[in-house]
């Protein structure tokens, strides 16, 4: 043997099994943070898509919980149509007399 380095003397016939095949723990370490760094480095597109997927799922779930509490998505209008009177319309005089006598009817609010 001409070399003193023992790694060239013994070669493995079967490679060591790893969970992530393309990982290189010698760069980042074998801990969870090192594997996460290697995951981002090796396949950043998949890592970015995973983050977008998880973020979308969380936002949809939070929207669902908020809608369950406030029911804002299924909010229906009080009336389907409104009647608009001109100020000089004779029908408005009857309403004005009632409003001055009894006060205006209760108004709906747009606030939630």
């Amino acid at each position: 043997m001409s070399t003193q380095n023992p790694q060239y003397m013994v070669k493995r016939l079967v490679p060591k099994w790893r969970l992530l095949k393309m990982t290189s723990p010698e760069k980042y370490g074998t801990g969870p943070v090192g594997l996460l760094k290697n995951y981002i480095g090796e396949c950043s597109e998949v890592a970015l898509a995973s983050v977008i997927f998880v973020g979308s799922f969380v936002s949809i779930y939070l929207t669902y919980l908020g809608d369950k509490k406030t029911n804002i998505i299924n909010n229906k209008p009080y009336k389907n149509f409104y009647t608009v009177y001109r100020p000089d319309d004779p029908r408005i005089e009857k309403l004005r007399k009632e409003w001055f006598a009894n006060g205006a009817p209760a108004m709906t609010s747009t606030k939630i």
Side-chain angles (χ1 to χ4, degrees):
M1 296 248 129
S2 64
T3 181
Q4 295 294 323
N5 196 346
Q7 78 179 18
Y8 293 113
M9 293 171 55
V10 178
K11 288 284 188 186
R12 290 188 183 184
L13 296 177
V14 179
K16 185 177 177 183
W17 185 84
R18 288 187 265 182
L19 178 65
L20 300 171
K21 299 292 184 194
M22 298 299 288
T23 60
S24 52
E26 59 274 1
K27 281 193 221 169
Y28 304 111
T30 57
V33 175
L35 289 176
L36 183 65
K37 285 180 183 179
N38 198 12
Y39 175 64
I40 292 170
E42 292 289 335
C43 50
S44 58
E45 299 87 5
V46 177
L48 182 63
S50 302
V51 169
I52 290 172
F53 174 75
V54 169
S56 300
F57 183 76
V58 167
S59 66
I60 289 171
Y61 182 68
L62 290 176
T63 303
Y64 168 73
L65 288 180
D67 181 54
K68 209 166 141 183
K69 192 185 316 180
T70 60
N71 200 17
I72 197 165
I73 292 177
N74 296 327
N75 192 9
K76 303 232 186 312
Y78 175 68
K79 293 182 176 181
N80 290 331
F81 61 91
Y82 294 93
T83 305
V84 178
Y85 293 107
R86 289 191 326 262
D88 59 345
D89 194 347
R91 293 177 290 178
I92 197 74
E93 289 301 323
K94 179 183 170 213
L95 291 174
R96 279 190 183 151
K97 288 176 187 173
E98 288 178 12
W99 284 18
F100 285 126
N102 304 329
M107 295 286 181
T108 58
S109 176
T110 58
K111 295 179 183 175
I112 296 175

Coordinates of all heavy atoms in Angstrom, one line a residue, residues 32-112:
P32 N -31.5 18.0 13.9 CA -32.7 18.5 13.1 C -32.4 19.8 12.4 O -32.9 20.0 11.3 CB -33.8 18.6 14.2 CG -33.1 18.5 15.5 CD -31.8 17.9 15.3
V33 N -31.6 20.7 13.0 CA -31.4 22.0 12.4 C -30.4 21.8 11.2 O -30.6 22.3 10.1 CB -30.7 23.0 13.4 CG1 -30.3 24.2 12.7 CG2 -31.7 23.3 14.5
G34 N -29.5 20.9 11.3 CA -28.6 20.6 10.2 C -29.3 19.9 9.1 O -29.1 20.2 7.9
L35 N -30.2 19.0 9.4 CA -31.0 18.4 8.3 C -31.9 19.4 7.6 O -32.1 19.3 6.4 CB -31.8 17.2 8.9 CG -31.0 16.0 9.3 CD1 -31.9 14.9 9.9 CD2 -30.3 15.4 8.1
L36 N -32.5 20.3 8.4 CA -33.3 21.4 7.8 C -32.5 22.3 6.9 O -33.0 22.6 5.8 CB -34.0 22.2 8.9 CG -35.0 23.2 8.5 CD1 -36.2 22.6 7.8 CD2 -35.4 24.1 9.6
K37 N -31.3 22.6 7.3 CA -30.4 23.4 6.4 C -30.1 22.7 5.2 O -30.1 23.3 4.1 CB -29.2 23.8 7.2 CG -29.3 24.9 8.2 CD -28.0 25.1 8.9 CE -28.0 26.1 10.0 NZ -26.7 26.3 10.6
N38 N -29.8 21.4 5.3 CA -29.5 20.6 4.1 C -30.7 20.5 3.2 O -30.6 20.5 2.0 CB -29.0 19.2 4.6 CG -28.2 18.5 3.5 OD1 -27.9 19.1 2.5 ND2 -28.0 17.3 3.7
Y39 N -31.9 20.3 3.8 CA -33.1 20.2 3.0 C -33.3 21.5 2.2 O -33.7 21.4 1.0 CB -34.3 20.0 4.0 CG -35.6 19.9 3.4 CD1 -36.0 19.0 2.4 CD2 -36.6 20.9 3.7 CE1 -37.2 18.9 1.9 CE2 -37.9 20.8 3.2 CZ -38.2 19.9 2.3 OH -39.4 19.8 1.7
I40 N -33.1 22.6 2.8 CA -33.3 23.9 2.1 C -32.2 24.1 1.0 O -32.5 24.6 0.0 CB -33.3 25.1 3.1 CG1 -34.5 25.0 4.0 CG2 -33.2 26.4 2.4 CD1 -34.5 25.9 5.2
G41 N -31.0 23.6 1.3 CA -29.9 23.7 0.4 C -30.1 22.8 -0.8 O -29.8 23.2 -2.0
E42 N -30.5 21.6 -0.6 CA -30.6 20.6 -1.7 C -31.8 20.8 -2.6 O -31.8 20.7 -3.8 CB -30.6 19.2 -1.1 CG -29.3 18.8 -0.4 CD -28.2 18.6 -1.4 OE1 -28.5 18.2 -2.6 OE2 -27.1 18.7 -1.0
C43 N -33.0 21.0 -1.9 CA -34.2 21.2 -2.8 C -35.0 22.4 -2.2 O -36.0 22.2 -1.6 CB -35.0 19.9 -2.7 SG -35.3 19.2 -1.1
S44 N -34.5 23.5 -2.5 CA -35.2 24.8 -2.0 C -36.6 25.0 -2.6 O -37.4 25.6 -1.9 CB -34.3 26.0 -2.3 OG -34.1 26.1 -3.7
E45 N -36.8 24.5 -3.8 CA -38.2 24.7 -4.4 C -39.2 23.9 -3.6 O -40.3 24.4 -3.3 CB -38.2 24.2 -5.8 CG -37.3 25.0 -6.8 CD -35.9 24.4 -6.8 OE1 -35.6 23.4 -6.2 OE2 -35.0 25.0 -7.4
V46 N -38.9 22.7 -3.2 CA -39.8 21.9 -2.5 C -40.0 22.4 -1.1 O -41.1 22.4 -0.5 CB -39.3 20.4 -2.4 CG1 -40.2 19.5 -1.5 CG2 -39.2 19.8 -3.8
A47 N -38.9 22.9 -0.5 CA -39.0 23.6 0.9 C -39.9 24.8 0.8 O -40.7 25.0 1.7 CB -37.6 23.9 1.4
L48 N -39.7 25.6 -0.2 CA -40.6 26.8 -0.3 C -42.0 26.4 -0.6 O -42.9 27.0 0.0 CB -40.0 27.7 -1.5 CG -40.8 29.0 -1.7 CD1 -40.7 29.9 -0.5 CD2 -40.3 29.7 -3.0
A49 N -42.3 25.4 -1.4 CA -43.6 25.0 -1.7 C -44.2 24.4 -0.4 O -45.4 24.6 -0.1 CB -43.6 23.9 -2.8
S50 N -43.4 23.7 0.4 CA -43.9 23.2 1.7 C -44.3 24.3 2.6 O -45.4 24.2 3.3 CB -42.9 22.3 2.3 OG -42.5 21.3 1.5
V51 N -43.5 25.3 2.7 CA -43.9 26.5 3.6 C -45.1 27.2 3.1 O -46.0 27.6 3.9 CB -42.7 27.5 3.6 CG1 -43.1 28.8 4.3 CG2 -41.5 26.8 4.4
I52 N -45.3 27.4 1.8 CA -46.5 28.0 1.2 C -47.7 27.1 1.5 O -48.8 27.6 1.9 CB -46.3 28.3 -0.3 CG1 -45.3 29.4 -0.5 CG2 -47.6 28.6 -0.9 CD1 -44.9 29.5 -2.0
F53 N -47.6 25.8 1.3 CA -48.7 24.9 1.6 C -49.1 25.0 3.1 O -50.3 25.1 3.4 CB -48.3 23.5 1.2 CG -49.4 22.5 1.6 CD1 -50.5 22.4 0.8 CD2 -49.2 21.6 2.7 CE1 -51.5 21.5 1.2 CE2 -50.2 20.7 3.0 CZ -51.3 20.6 2.3
V54 N -48.2 24.9 4.0 CA -48.5 24.9 5.4 C -49.1 26.3 5.8 O -50.1 26.4 6.5 CB -47.3 24.6 6.2 CG1 -47.5 24.9 7.7 CG2 -46.9 23.2 6.1
G55 N -48.6 27.4 5.2 CA -49.1 28.7 5.5 C -50.5 28.9 5.0 O -51.4 29.5 5.6
S56 N -50.8 28.4 3.8 CA -52.1 28.4 3.2 C -53.1 27.6 4.0 O -54.2 28.1 4.3 CB -52.1 27.9 1.8 OG -51.3 28.7 1.0
F57 N -52.7 26.4 4.4 CA -53.6 25.6 5.2 C -53.9 26.3 6.6 O -55.1 26.3 7.0 CB -52.9 24.2 5.5 CG -53.8 23.3 6.2 CD1 -54.8 22.7 5.6 CD2 -53.6 23.0 7.6 CE1 -55.7 21.8 6.3 CE2 -54.4 22.2 8.3 CZ -55.4 21.5 7.6
V58 N -52.9 26.9 7.2 CA -53.2 27.5 8.5 C -54.1 28.7 8.3 O -55.0 29.0 9.1 CB -51.8 27.9 9.1 CG1 -52.0 28.9 10.3 CG2 -51.1 26.7 9.6
S59 N -53.9 29.5 7.3 CA -54.7 30.7 7.0 C -56.1 30.3 6.7 O -57.1 31.0 7.2 CB -54.1 31.6 6.0 OG -54.1 30.9 4.7
I60 N -56.3 29.3 5.9 CA -57.7 28.8 5.6 C -58.4 28.3 6.9 O -59.6 28.6 7.1 CB -57.7 27.7 4.5 CG1 -57.3 28.3 3.2 CG2 -59.0 27.0 4.5 CD1 -57.0 27.3 2.1
Y61 N -57.6 27.6 7.8 CA -58.2 27.1 9.0 C -58.6 28.3 9.9 O -59.6 28.3 10.5 CB -57.2 26.1 9.7 CG -57.8 25.6 11.0 CD1 -58.9 24.7 10.9 CD2 -57.3 25.9 12.2 CE1 -59.4 24.1 12.1 CE2 -57.8 25.4 13.4 CZ -58.8 24.5 13.3 OH -59.3 24.0 14.5
L62 N -57.7 29.3 10.0 CA -58.0 30.4 10.9 C -59.2 31.2 10.3 O -60.0 31.7 11.1 CB -56.8 31.3 11.0 CG -55.6 30.7 11.9 CD1 -54.5 31.7 11.9 CD2 -56.1 30.4 13.3
T63 N -59.3 31.3 9.0 CA -60.5 32.0 8.4 C -61.8 31.2 8.7 O -62.8 31.8 9.0 CB -60.3 32.1 6.9 OG1 -59.1 32.8 6.6 CG2 -61.5 32.8 6.3
Y64 N -61.7 29.9 8.7 CA -62.8 29.0 9.0 C -63.2 29.3 10.5 O -64.4 29.4 10.8 CB -62.5 27.6 8.8 CG -63.5 26.6 9.4 CD1 -64.7 26.4 8.8 CD2 -63.2 25.9 10.5 CE1 -65.6 25.6 9.3 CE2 -64.1 25.0 11.0 CZ -65.3 24.8 10.5 OH -66.2 24.0 11.0
L65 N -62.3 29.3 11.4 CA -62.6 29.5 12.8 C -63.2 30.9 13.0 O -64.2 31.1 13.8 CB -61.3 29.4 13.7 CG -60.8 27.9 13.8 CD1 -59.6 28.0 14.7 CD2 -61.9 27.0 14.4
G66 N -62.7 31.9 12.3 CA -63.2 33.3 12.4 C -64.6 33.3 11.9 O -65.5 34.0 12.4
D67 N -64.9 32.7 10.8 CA -66.2 32.7 10.2 C -67.2 31.9 11.1 O -68.4 32.3 11.2 CB -66.2 32.0 8.8 CG -67.6 32.0 8.2 OD1 -68.2 33.1 8.1 OD2 -68.0 30.9 7.8
K68 N -66.7 30.9 11.8 CA -67.6 30.1 12.7 C -68.0 31.0 13.8 O -69.1 30.9 14.3 CB -66.8 28.9 13.2 CG -67.6 27.8 13.6 CD -66.7 26.6 13.7 CE -67.2 25.7 14.9 NZ -66.3 24.6 15.1
K69 N -67.1 31.9 14.2 CA -67.5 32.8 15.4 C -68.3 34.0 14.9 O -69.3 34.3 15.6 CB -66.2 33.4 15.9 CG -66.3 34.0 17.3 CD -65.1 34.7 17.8 CE -63.9 33.8 17.6 NZ -62.6 34.4 18.2
T70 N -68.0 34.6 13.8 CA -68.7 35.8 13.4 C -69.7 35.6 12.3 O -70.6 36.5 12.0 CB -67.7 36.9 12.9 OG1 -67.0 36.4 11.8 CG2 -66.8 37.3 14.0
N71 N -69.6 34.5 11.5 CA -70.5 34.2 10.4 C -70.5 35.4 9.3 O -71.5 35.7 8.8 CB -71.9 34.0 10.9 CG -72.7 33.2 9.8 OD1 -72.1 32.6 8.9 ND2 -74.0 33.2 10.0
I72 N -69.3 35.9 9.1 CA -69.2 37.1 8.2 C -69.2 36.7 6.7 O -69.7 37.4 5.8 CB -67.9 37.9 8.5 CG1 -68.0 39.3 7.9 CG2 -66.7 37.2 8.0 CD1 -67.0 40.2 8.4
I73 N -68.8 35.4 6.4 CA -68.8 35.0 5.0 C -70.2 34.8 4.5 O -70.6 35.1 3.3 CB -67.9 33.8 4.8 CG1 -66.5 34.1 5.0 CG2 -68.1 33.2 3.4 CD1 -65.5 33.0 4.9
N74 N -71.1 34.3 5.3 CA -72.5 34.0 5.0 C -73.4 35.1 5.4 O -74.6 34.9 5.5 CB -73.0 32.7 5.6 CG -72.2 31.5 5.1 OD1 -71.7 31.5 4.0 ND2 -71.9 30.6 6.0
N75 N -72.9 36.3 5.5 CA -73.7 37.5 5.9 C -74.6 37.9 4.8 O -74.2 38.2 3.7 CB -72.8 38.6 6.3 CG -73.5 39.7 7.0 OD1 -74.7 39.6 7.3 ND2 -72.9 40.8 7.3
K76 N -75.9 37.9 5.1 CA -76.9 38.2 4.0 C -77.4 39.6 4.3 O -77.5 40.0 5.5 CB -78.0 37.2 4.0 CG -77.6 35.8 3.9 CD -78.4 35.1 2.8 CE -78.1 33.7 2.6 NZ -76.8 33.2 2.5
P77 N -77.8 40.4 3.3 CA -78.4 41.7 3.6 C -79.7 41.6 4.2 O -80.4 40.6 4.1 CB -78.4 42.3 2.2 CG -78.5 41.2 1.2 CD -77.7 40.1 1.9
Y78 N -80.1 42.7 5.0 CA -81.4 42.7 5.6 C -82.5 42.8 4.6 O -83.5 42.1 4.8 CB -81.4 43.9 6.6 CG -82.7 44.1 7.2 CD1 -83.2 43.2 8.2 CD2 -83.5 45.2 6.9 CE1 -84.4 43.4 8.8 CE2 -84.7 45.4 7.5 CZ -85.2 44.5 8.5 OH -86.4 44.6 9.1
K79 N -82.3 43.6 3.6 CA -83.3 43.7 2.5 C -82.7 43.4 1.2 O -81.5 43.7 1.0 CB -83.9 45.1 2.5 CG -84.7 45.4 3.7 CD -85.3 46.8 3.6 CE -86.2 47.1 4.7 NZ -86.8 48.5 4.6
N80 N -83.4 42.9 0.3 CA -82.9 42.7 -1.1 C -83.0 43.9 -2.0 O -82.3 44.0 -3.0 CB -83.6 41.5 -1.7 CG -83.3 40.2 -1.1 OD1 -82.2 40.0 -0.6 ND2 -84.2 39.2 -1.1
F81 N -83.9 44.8 -1.6 CA -84.1 46.0 -2.4 C -84.5 47.1 -1.5 O -85.0 46.9 -0.4 CB -85.1 45.9 -3.6 CG -86.5 45.6 -3.1 CD1 -87.4 46.6 -2.8 CD2 -86.9 44.2 -2.9 CE1 -88.7 46.3 -2.4 CE2 -88.2 43.9 -2.4 CZ -89.0 45.0 -2.2
Y82 N -84.1 48.4 -1.9 CA -84.5 49.5 -1.1 C -85.3 50.5 -2.0 O -85.1 50.6 -3.2 CB -83.2 50.3 -0.7 CG -82.4 49.5 0.3 CD1 -81.4 48.7 -0.1 CD2 -82.7 49.5 1.7 CE1 -80.6 47.9 0.8 CE2 -81.9 48.8 2.6 CZ -80.9 48.0 2.2 OH -80.2 47.3 3.1
T83 N -86.2 51.2 -1.3 CA -87.0 52.1 -2.0 C -86.4 53.5 -1.8 O -86.2 53.9 -0.6 CB -88.5 52.1 -1.5 OG1 -89.0 50.8 -1.6 CG2 -89.4 53.0 -2.4
V84 N -86.2 54.2 -2.9 CA -85.6 55.6 -2.8 C -86.7 56.6 -3.2 O -87.3 56.4 -4.3 CB -84.4 55.7 -3.7 CG1 -83.8 57.1 -3.6 CG2 -83.3 54.7 -3.3
Y85 N -87.0 57.6 -2.4 CA -88.0 58.6 -2.7 C -87.3 59.9 -3.0 O -86.3 60.2 -2.4 CB -88.9 58.8 -1.5 CG -89.8 57.7 -1.1 CD1 -89.5 56.9 0.0 CD2 -90.9 57.3 -1.9 CE1 -90.3 55.8 0.3 CE2 -91.7 56.3 -1.6 CZ -91.4 55.5 -0.5 OH -92.2 54.5 -0.2
R86 N -87.8 60.6 -3.9 CA -87.4 62.0 -4.2 C -87.9 62.9 -3.1 O -88.9 62.6 -2.5 CB -87.9 62.5 -5.6 CG -87.3 61.8 -6.7 CD -87.6 62.5 -8.1 NE -89.0 63.1 -8.1 CZ -90.0 62.5 -8.6 NH1 -89.9 61.3 -9.2 NH2 -91.2 63.1 -8.6
P87 N -87.2 64.0 -2.8 CA -87.6 64.9 -1.8 C -89.0 65.5 -2.1 O -89.7 65.9 -1.1 CB -86.5 65.9 -1.7 CG -85.4 65.5 -2.5 CD -85.9 64.4 -3.4
D88 N -89.3 65.7 -3.3 CA -90.6 66.3 -3.7 C -91.7 65.3 -3.9 O -92.8 65.7 -4.4 CB -90.4 67.3 -4.9 CG -89.9 66.6 -6.1 OD1 -89.4 65.4 -5.9 OD2 -90.0 67.1 -7.2
D89 N -91.5 64.1 -3.6 CA -92.5 63.0 -3.9 C -93.6 63.2 -2.8 O -93.4 63.3 -1.6 CB -91.8 61.6 -3.7 CG -92.7 60.5 -4.3 OD1 -93.9 60.8 -4.5 OD2 -92.2 59.4 -4.5
P90 N -94.9 63.1 -3.2 CA -96.0 63.2 -2.2 C -96.0 62.1 -1.2 O -96.5 62.2 -0.1 CB -97.3 63.2 -3.1 CG -96.9 62.9 -4.4 CD -95.4 63.0 -4.6
R91 N -95.5 60.9 -1.6 CA -95.5 59.8 -0.6 C -94.6 60.0 0.6 O -94.8 59.5 1.6 CB -95.1 58.5 -1.3 CG -96.2 58.1 -2.4 CD -95.7 56.8 -3.1 NE -94.6 57.2 -3.9 CZ -93.9 56.3 -4.7 NH1 -94.3 55.0 -4.6 NH2 -92.9 56.7 -5.5
I92 N -93.6 60.9 0.4 CA -92.6 61.1 1.5 C -93.2 62.0 2.5 O -92.8 61.9 3.7 CB -91.3 61.7 0.9 CG1 -90.1 61.6 1.9 CG2 -91.5 63.2 0.6 CD1 -89.6 60.2 2.0
E93 N -94.2 62.8 2.2 CA -94.9 63.7 3.2 C -95.5 62.8 4.3 O -95.4 63.2 5.5 CB -95.9 64.5 2.5 CG -95.3 65.6 1.7 CD -94.4 66.5 2.4 OE1 -94.7 66.9 3.6 OE2 -93.4 66.9 1.9
K94 N -96.1 61.7 4.0 CA -96.7 60.8 5.0 C -95.7 60.3 5.9 O -95.8 60.3 7.2 CB -97.5 59.7 4.3 CG -98.1 58.7 5.3 CD -98.8 57.6 4.5 CE -99.2 56.5 5.5 NZ -99.1 55.2 5.0
L95 N -94.5 59.9 5.3 CA -93.4 59.4 6.2 C -92.8 60.4 7.0 O -92.5 60.2 8.2 CB -92.4 58.7 5.3 CG -92.7 57.5 4.6 CD1 -91.6 57.0 3.6 CD2 -93.0 56.3 5.6
R96 N -92.7 61.6 6.5 CA -92.1 62.7 7.3 C -93.0 63.1 8.5 O -92.5 63.3 9.6 CB -92.0 64.0 6.4 CG -90.8 64.0 5.5 CD -90.5 65.3 4.9 NE -89.4 65.2 4.0 CZ -89.3 65.9 2.9 NH1 -90.2 66.8 2.6 NH2 -88.2 65.8 2.2
K97 N -94.3 63.1 8.3 CA -95.2 63.3 9.4 C -95.1 62.3 10.5 O -95.0 62.6 11.7 CB -96.7 63.4 8.9 CG -97.0 64.6 8.1 CD -98.4 64.6 7.6 CE -98.7 65.7 6.6 NZ -99.9 65.6 6.0
E98 N -95.0 61.0 10.1 CA -94.8 59.9 11.1 C -93.4 60.1 11.8 O -93.3 59.9 13.0 CB -94.9 58.6 10.4 CG -96.2 58.2 10.0 CD -96.2 56.8 9.3 OE1 -95.2 56.1 9.3 OE2 -97.2 56.5 8.6
W99 N -92.4 60.5 11.1 CA -91.1 60.6 11.7 C -91.0 61.7 12.6 O -90.4 61.6 13.7 CB -90.0 60.8 10.6 CG -89.7 59.5 9.8 CD1 -90.4 58.4 9.7 CD2 -88.5 59.4 9.0 NE1 -89.8 57.5 8.9 CE2 -88.6 58.0 8.5 CE3 -87.5 60.1 8.7 CZ2 -87.7 57.5 7.6 CZ3 -86.5 59.6 7.8 CH2 -86.6 58.3 7.3
F100 N -91.7 62.9 12.3 CA -91.7 64.0 13.2 C -92.5 63.7 14.5 O -92.2 64.2 15.6 CB -92.2 65.3 12.6 CG -91.2 65.9 11.6 CD1 -91.5 66.1 10.3 CD2 -89.9 66.2 12.1 CE1 -90.5 66.7 9.4 CE2 -88.9 66.7 11.2 CZ -89.3 67.0 9.9
A101 N -93.5 62.9 14.3 CA -94.4 62.6 15.5 C -93.7 61.5 16.4 O -93.7 61.7 17.6 CB -95.8 62.1 15.0
N102 N -93.3 60.4 15.8 CA -92.7 59.3 16.6 C -91.2 59.2 16.6 O -90.7 58.4 17.3 CB -93.3 58.0 16.0 CG -94.8 58.0 16.0 OD1 -95.5 58.6 16.8 ND2 -95.4 57.3 15.0
G103 N -90.6 59.9 15.7 CA -89.1 59.8 15.6 C -88.8 58.8 14.5 O -89.7 58.1 14.0
A104 N -87.6 58.9 14.0 CA -87.2 58.0 12.9 C -87.1 56.6 13.4 O -86.8 56.3 14.5 CB -85.9 58.5 12.3
P105 N -87.4 55.6 12.5 CA -87.3 54.2 12.9 C -85.8 53.8 13.1 O -84.9 54.6 12.7 CB -87.8 53.4 11.7 CG -87.8 54.4 10.5 CD -87.8 55.8 11.1
A106 N -85.6 52.7 13.8 CA -84.2 52.3 14.1 C -83.5 52.0 12.9 O -84.0 51.3 12.0 CB -84.3 51.1 15.0
M107 N -82.3 52.5 12.8 CA -81.4 52.2 11.6 C -80.5 51.0 11.8 O -80.1 50.8 13.0 CB -80.6 53.5 11.3 CG -81.4 54.7 10.9 SD -82.0 54.5 9.3 CE -82.8 56.0 9.1
T108 N -80.3 50.3 10.8 CA -79.3 49.2 10.9 C -77.9 49.8 10.8 O -77.7 50.8 10.1 CB -79.5 48.2 9.8 OG1 -79.4 48.8 8.5 CG2 -80.9 47.5 10.0
S109 N -76.9 49.2 11.4 CA -75.6 49.6 11.4 C -74.7 48.8 10.5 O -75.0 47.6 10.4 CB -75.0 49.6 12.8 OG -73.7 50.0 12.7
T110 N -73.7 49.3 9.8 CA -72.9 48.5 9.0 C -71.7 48.0 9.8 O -70.9 47.2 9.3 CB -72.3 49.4 7.8 OG1 -71.6 50.5 8.4 CG2 -73.4 49.8 6.9
K111 N -71.6 48.4 11.1 CA -70.5 47.9 11.9 C -70.8 46.5 12.3 O -71.9 46.1 12.5 CB -70.3 48.8 13.1 CG -69.8 50.2 12.7 CD -69.7 51.0 14.0 CE -69.3 52.4 13.6 NZ -69.2 53.3 14.8
I112 N -69.7 45.7 12.5 CA -69.8 44.3 13.0 C -69.8 44.3 14.5 O -69.1 44.9 15.1 CB -68.7 43.4 12.4 CG1 -68.8 43.4 10.9 CG2 -68.8 42.0 12.9 CD1 -67.7 42.7 10.2

